Amino acid sequence: MSIHIHHIAIVVDDLDEALAFYQQALGLTLAERRAVPEEEVEIAFLPAGEGEIELLRPLDDRSGVARFLAKRGEGVHHVCLRVDDVEAAMARLQAAGAHLLSETPQVNPHGVRYVFVHPKSAHGVLVELYEVKGDE
Amino acid sequence: MSIHIHHIAIVVDDLDEALAFYQQALGLTLAERRAVPEEEVEIAFLPAGEGEIELLRPLDDRSGVARFLAKRGEGVHHVCLRVDDVEAAMARLQAAGAHLLSETPQVNPHGVRYVFVHPKSAHGVLVELYEVKGDE
């Protein structure tokens, strides 16, 4: 099984200000920015080699991302690793006693299957596993 | 200027327990594990595609890493991006008003030049820039 860093998601208060830093000051390039109302966030994608930096801001104060921001402040929200078989990865994690946030893979609007591992199992990190088939 | 994700550093209480999760449960491979007494940490390196996951544990209770762990608990300590010219990156950051943790690049024992950006400038993330010359 191959595992690559897919993205690092950073939750911010103000997406314009955060983009000013990550684009102009740091030199990353904005690939896409869009609201995802079903997840109550606005997201900006900034590729960095084979991975990317994602900046998230909550669209309301009810979502999990909003509660994270209120409790912990700005910073890394989750780390996403791409795997070639999310069910095999889930079976391995469950066999090791790790706590997953869903019992079966979730599916995003692009048809990609993913799952989150609880930060208590992953030593303080909310880890997302994102399935990309045919990963070398 | 090209920028890639170089590594994600995660501070943990117990390196053996953390390695059990990141190797056996998640499926990453340990490339190297060593103490770095001058930085008062023990580090384990787990490659993940072109980047890697680094697990850190403090060797005493005085270091910055130890204070981070005592204050915030286990989790992402810093995000490292590789750049091809650290001084050019620093000039750009300073021009934008970002706060760097050193005025000139630091140099690690391998001769690699690096600098840290203060998390207040980078929206809650301690960002390291690590120079790899000839980066495509």
Side-chain angles (χ1 to χ4, degrees):
Chain A
M1 187 169 71
S2 80
I3 304 184
H4 293 237
I5 297 171
H6 186 275
H7 65 260
I8 301 167
I10 299 166
V11 60
V12 301
D13 279 315
D14 183 310
L15 195 51
D16 293 320
E17 277 183 18
L19 279 171
F21 173 78
Y22 282 92
Q23 287 182 273
Q24 282 106 58
L26 204 54
L28 291 167
T29 301
L30 178 65
E32 190 185 358
R33 174 179 180 168
R34 61 184 157 83
V36 186
E38 62 274 21
E39 294 176 12
E40 300 165 83
V41 292
E42 184 181 10
I43 310 184
F45 301 92
L46 302 118
E50 69 172 21
E52 64 186 7
I53 302 291
E54 288 187 12
L55 301 176
L56 300 171
R57 79 165 178 100
L59 290 173
D60 58 42
D61 58 7
R62 299 183 311 268
S63 64
V65 172
R67 292 195 305 272
F68 181 101
L69 181 61
K71 184 174 176 189
R72 307 204 39 151
E74 294 186 310
V76 174
H77 179 265
H78 67 268
V79 168
C80 179
L81 303 173
R82 73 176 156 93
V83 297
D84 47 8
D85 183 339
V86 74
E87 284 179 341
M90 290 173 73
R92 184 200 287 250
L93 283 156
Q94 285 165 327
H99 177 46
L100 306 179
L101 297 197
S102 61
E103 288 195 12
T104 55
Q106 294 182 267
V107 182
N108 76 12
H110 302 289
V112 173
R113 303 197 303 168
Y114 65 96
V115 70
F116 281 94
V117 184
H118 195 286
K120 284 197 180 167
S121 294
H123 294 263
V125 183
L126 177 59
V127 172
E128 180 180 11
L129 299 177
Y130 190 90
E131 183 178 79
V132 179
K133 288 282 190 192
D135 190 16
E136 80 286 0
Chain B
M1 185 169 74
S2 79
I3 304 184
H4 294 237
I5 297 171
H6 187 275
H7 65 261
I8 301 167
I10 299 166
V11 60
V12 300
D13 279 316
D14 183 311
L15 195 50
D16 293 320
E17 277 184 18
L19 279 170
F21 173 78
Y22 282 91
Q23 288 182 273
Q24 281 106 59
L26 204 53
L28 291 167
T29 302
L30 179 65
E32 190 185 359
R33 176 179 179 167
R34 62 183 157 84
V36 186
E38 62 275 21
E39 294 176 13
E40 300 166 82
V41 292
E42 184 181 10
I43 310 183
F45 300 91
L46 302 118
E50 69 172 21
E52 64 185 8
I53 303 291
E54 288 186 13
L55 301 176
L56 298 171
R57 80 164 176 100
L59 291 173
D60 59 43
D61 58 8
R62 298 183 312 268
S63 65
V65 171
R67 293 195 306 272
F68 181 101
L69 181 61
K71 185 176 175 188
R72 306 202 41 151
E74 294 186 311
V76 174
H77 178 264
H78 67 268
V79 169
C80 179
L81 304 173
R82 73 176 156 94
V83 296
D84 47 9
D85 183 338
V86 74
E87 284 179 340
M90 289 173 75
R92 184 199 287 251
L93 284 156
Q94 285 165 328
H99 178 45
L100 306 179
L101 298 196
S102 60
E103 287 194 12
T104 55
Q106 294 182 266
V107 183
N108 76 13
H110 302 290
V112 173
R113 302 196 305 167
Y114 66 97
V115 70
F116 281 95
V117 184
H118 195 287
K120 285 197 178 164
S121 293
H123 294 263
V125 183
L126 176 59
V127 172
E128 181 180 10
L129 299 177
Y130 190 89
E131 182 178 79
V132 180
K133 288 283 188 191
D135 189 15
E136 80 289 353

